[in-house]
Amino acid sequence: MKKLWVRHIKDALHTGFAGHIDMSDYEKASSSVREKAFLSRSLAALAIQRFTELSAKQAAATVVDGSHDNGIDAIAIDAASHRVILVQSKWDGSGDGSLGLGDSRNFIAGFKDLLDTKFDRFTPRLQAREEEITAALDDVDVTFVLVVATTGRTELAKPSAAVFQDVLDEMNETQQLVSVEMLGLVEFHSFVAEGLGGTRIDFNAQLENWGTVSEPYEAYYGVVAASNVAEWYERFGDRLFSQNIRKALGNTSVNDALANTILDSPHHFWYFNNGVTALCESIKKTPRGAATRTFGDFSLTGVSVVNGAQTVASIHKAWQRSGSSLDGAMVWVRFINLEACPEGFATAVTRATNTQNSVETRDFVALDPQQDRLRTELVLSLKKTYAIKRGEPVPSPENGCTVVDATVALACANREPSLAVLAKSKVGSLWESTEKPPYRTLFNPTVGPYRVWRCVEVMRHVDLTLSDLKKKLDGRPRSVCLQGNRLVLHLVFREIDLQRIDDAEYDWSSELRKVPALTERALSSLVKHVDDVYPSSYVTSLFKNITKCRDVVQKVRDDWPKDFNDGS
């Protein structure tokens, strides 16, 4: 069976990627060597397709395999989900192999070099994408998916597994930045089979407390036991999402939170989740339960979940972890009957249900009276515009700022380094509750317009200086400059006079003139102490670790000569 499945995958790779995979570096190689390289690269491209919506041609363009590839065979950037997907692929004709210890170490070493922007250690294919990759690394919300793709066994030997576990332990110590996905023979064969379309998905579903909409198009709605939803995915896998804009995304932080909610608070799940929308070629209500709306049985044909793929997959994950029991958790479900719908309606539903605006924590900040007060005072005192709500015009830098600017600047100006860390790694957490710290630490009746505006000015001066310094740096120092920018800002604030920041008559320009020199000094010292104290730590995760950042800040300040006022 294994060899048959390997043959199926091999045929699918030739069908899907012939003419798309760059094989110019194998022109003089033997046919057998060239063939194995093609299959390995195509497998990497297919793995990329598993986590993105890229076409075969687009996925093939993500392949960076070659001599001195530093363990990375493909890299894709999904800007919408703030994810970087990295693949190492190994073609195994026997169907029984696995990733070795050396390859595992090479993959992680390459990942570390990528985080440190050591592009000279990679193939020209990857180097050509330096600007795109650097922009992704600069994204404060970026997460990484490390994909091991092989036509062999999914399970790694213990030494190889330990290599990946070490990087997970280090980089995820404060929040999930990295996940590891193993794709083996079984997963790829299933993916190939799904790509053929498979048979139509038909099943019966029981809706509790159901209702119906008859005009203009027929639909049914109600609640379904989460365990039943998990069984749908167990039976049909990603084929459930044939018309969705994306398949299940694996171990993302949102999906993990969904799974944890359904395990920890199953009776709250219906209230916390938006539910599932599915399109059906036809819907027939069976006679069972015909006299009541308490429950109803429905025969569904041609089912495709077009919104809620992550919900379904997360429920299935929780279902597996719980031993097939979800303790009464319920899910809101809509089934839309396409029988009488016009052409294009299914596509319109899919697009609309996947692009509706979500409510963010920033939206609740707009309800705080302190924000309205600051908006008024900034206009009256400084003639500056203060944009609070999403969607409001963003003022030009000289004419004003946003609530995001104010939050980050005030957080970094605080004596507590942890707020600067949150401003960098999870600014939304500073707004989680407008009734308590850290929000109330930053925004309260004592915070006036001059403090807000002057802190924003310092932040912009620091950012401008760091932007200039970044051009002269590479490797790990450059990563510190990018990822440690908010800690640099915090250090600068600790060295300027904040005692008179609220004094309208104070010549604040005298403090601003100190900022460029302080910024350069702070960065230089930060690079030194990061290398001295945490030489093996990944820079991306280090600056999201409050304990380590407190430690580094203290060492930098202990090392600085006290020739500036500490007015913080």
Side-chain angles (χ1 to χ4, degrees), residues 8-129:
H8 290 165
I9 296 170
K10 178 179 178 179
D11 291 344
L13 294 178
H14 275 285
T15 299
F17 295 102
H20 295 317
I21 298 293
D22 183 359
M23 297 298 297
S24 58
D25 52 336
Y26 277 86
E27 288 181 354
K28 297 180 180 180
S30 66
S31 58
S32 60
V33 171
R34 181 182 174 87
E35 170 72 356
K36 187 174 182 179
F38 169 80
L39 293 172
S40 182
R41 291 178 179 181
S42 298
L43 196 70
L46 186 60
I48 290 294
Q49 283 191 299
R50 179 63 181 80
F51 295 93
T52 67
E53 291 299 310
L54 297 181
S55 66
K57 183 177 181 180
Q58 292 169 328
T62 71
V63 175
V64 294
D65 172 60
S67 178
H68 307 297
D69 60 28
N70 209 1
I72 297 176
D73 296 323
I75 177 170
I77 297 168
D78 187 349
S81 62
H82 303 279
R83 295 189 309 159
V84 176
I85 300 102
L86 305 168
V87 180
Q88 186 179 73
S89 63
K90 294 295 175 186
W91 176 261
D92 176 47
S94 71
D96 200 40
S98 184
L99 195 70
L101 180 59
D103 288 328
S104 300
R105 287 173 172 167
N106 287 342
F107 191 16
I108 297 306
F111 176 45
K112 182 176 180 180
D113 285 341
L114 192 75
L115 294 179
D116 288 341
T117 63
K118 295 178 179 177
F119 291 101
D120 60 308
R121 299 187 178 185
F122 294 94
T123 62
R125 289 188 180 98
L126 189 144
Q127 291 177 20
R129 299 172 59 192

Side-chain angles (χ1 to χ4, degrees), residues 166-179:
D166 286 346
V167 74
L168 291 176
D169 290 344
E170 180 170 0
M171 291 203 68
N172 294 341
E173 56 190 338
T174 55
Q175 63 187 86
Q176 183 163 319
L177 296 174
V178 181
S179 60

Side-chain angles (χ1 to χ4, degrees), residues 329-568:
M330 306 300 289
V331 185
W332 173 258
V333 175
R334 293 190 303 165
F335 294 120
I336 299 174
N337 190 351
L338 295 177
E339 282 184 302
C341 294
E343 183 179 353
F345 184 74
T347 301
V349 171
T350 302
R351 181 181 295 111
T353 55
N354 282 281
T355 56
Q356 292 173 354
N357 292 331
S358 60
V359 177
E360 297 181 1
T361 52
R362 175 181 173 179
D363 299 318
F364 296 104
V365 172
L367 303 177
D368 179 20
Q370 296 297 335
Q371 297 297 338
D372 277 334
R373 175 184 63 80
L374 285 172
R375 188 206 301 265
T376 301
E377 291 180 355
L378 277 162
V379 171
L380 295 178
S381 300
L382 291 157
K383 303 297 187 292
K384 302 298 181 185
T385 301
Y386 186 49
I388 302 172
K389 297 180 180 180
R390 286 192 299 155
E392 289 182 336
V394 176
S396 60
E398 65 274 15
N399 290 328
C401 65
T402 68
V403 69
V404 179
D405 298 327
T407 302
V408 172
L410 291 171
C412 293
N414 192 277
R415 284 187 65 88
E416 173 50 59
S418 65
L419 297 186
V421 176
L422 292 176
K424 175 65 178 180
S425 63
K426 200 177 179 183
V427 68
S429 66
L430 297 171
W431 302 320
E432 281 182 356
S433 173
T434 58
E435 302 301 323
K436 60 183 181 181
Y439 178 83
R440 279 297 174 210
T441 303
L442 305 180
F443 295 102
N444 58 68
T446 68
V447 176
Y450 286 94
R451 176 174 291 269
V452 170
W453 180 247
R454 287 169 172 177
C455 283
V456 169
E457 283 189 303
V458 173
M459 179 178 72
R460 289 173 173 169
H461 276 63
V462 169
D463 287 348
L464 185 61
T465 305
L466 288 177
S467 179
D468 290 337
L469 292 172
K470 181 181 66 174
K471 300 171 185 177
K472 307 172 186 177
L473 302 171
D474 56 21
R476 194 170 170 87
R478 186 178 186 279
S479 294
V480 173
C481 181
L482 291 170
Q483 302 296 334
N485 62 334
R486 295 311 172 211
L487 219 57
V488 170
L489 176 58
H490 172 76
L491 289 164
V492 170
F493 272 122
R494 296 287 289 268
E495 295 296 329
I496 61 178
D497 186 2
L498 299 183
Q499 293 180 356
R500 301 185 64 185
I501 194 169
D502 294 305
D503 182 355
E505 302 302 321
Y506 181 58
D507 180 15
W508 187 248
S509 62
S510 63
E511 299 299 326
L512 293 179
R513 285 193 290 271
K514 301 176 184 177
V515 170
L518 284 172
T519 302
E520 188 166 3
R521 174 182 291 187
L523 177 61
S524 177
S525 186
L526 195 61
V527 169
K528 173 183 179 296
H529 287 289
V530 164
D531 280 342
D532 287 348
V533 185
Y534 301 107
S536 61
S537 291
Y538 297 98
V539 172
T540 303
S541 58
L542 188 153
F543 287 111
K544 296 182 179 182
N545 184 299
I546 290 173
T547 301
K548 290 182 178 179
C549 285
R550 279 199 186 111
D551 182 35
V552 171
V553 165
Q554 189 58 51
K555 285 179 167 54
V556 169
R557 288 185 53 74
D558 288 345
D559 195 39
W560 275 23
K562 299 301 179 183
D563 52 358
F564 288 95
N565 291 324
D566 183 0
S568 58

Side-chain angles (χ1 to χ4, degrees), residues 146-332:
L146 306 183
V147 183
V148 175
T150 175
T151 45
R153 299 191 307 274
T154 305
E155 303 80 14
L156 294 175
K158 286 186 178 180
S160 295
V163 171
F164 288 97
Q165 190 58 51
D166 286 346
V167 74
L168 291 176
D169 290 344
E170 180 170 0
M171 291 203 68
N172 294 341
E173 56 190 338
T174 55
Q175 63 187 86
Q176 183 163 319
L177 296 174
V178 181
S179 60
V180 176
E181 298 284 350
M182 311 299 297
L183 302 180
L185 179 63
V186 174
E187 289 76 19
F188 276 114
H189 190 266
S190 175
F191 192 31
V192 167
E194 292 164 12
L196 298 175
T199 57
R200 187 183 63 187
I201 292 179
D202 304 334
F203 59 84
N204 283 6
Q206 185 180 94
L207 292 178
E208 297 187 25
N209 299 308
W210 64 277
T212 183
V213 174
S214 57
E215 297 292 339
Y217 313 117
E218 185 180 60
Y220 294 88
Y221 56 87
V223 294
V224 175
S227 56
N228 289 343
V229 174
E231 289 168 357
W232 300 346
Y233 190 77
E234 179 77 6
R235 181 178 173 188
F236 301 109
D238 279 354
R239 287 203 298 123
L240 269 174
F241 316 131
S242 62
Q243 295 185 51
N244 203 335
I245 59 171
R246 59 163 49 98
K247 295 179 170 62
L249 299 179
N251 296 323
T252 68
S253 58
V254 172
N255 290 356
D256 286 342
L258 279 172
N260 290 334
T261 297
I262 202 169
L263 289 172
D264 298 338
S265 307
H267 296 292
H268 293 166
F269 188 76
W270 182 89
Y271 300 94
F272 293 171
N273 184 263
N274 291 329
V276 174
T277 299
L279 303 178
C280 305
E281 292 177 11
S282 69
I283 303 176
K284 304 296 182 186
K285 189 179 183 310
T286 68
R288 185 168 179 260
T292 177
R293 290 292 180 97
T294 303
F295 72 89
D297 276 347
F298 297 86
S299 177
L300 312 172
T301 60
V303 183
S304 177
V305 172
V306 296
N307 185 252
Q310 313 318 315
T311 293
V312 172
S314 299
I315 290 172
H316 179 258
K317 179 180 179 180
W319 182 73
Q320 289 180 316
R321 286 166 54 185
S322 69
S324 305
S325 173
L326 294 179
D327 195 25
M330 306 300 289
V331 185
W332 173 258

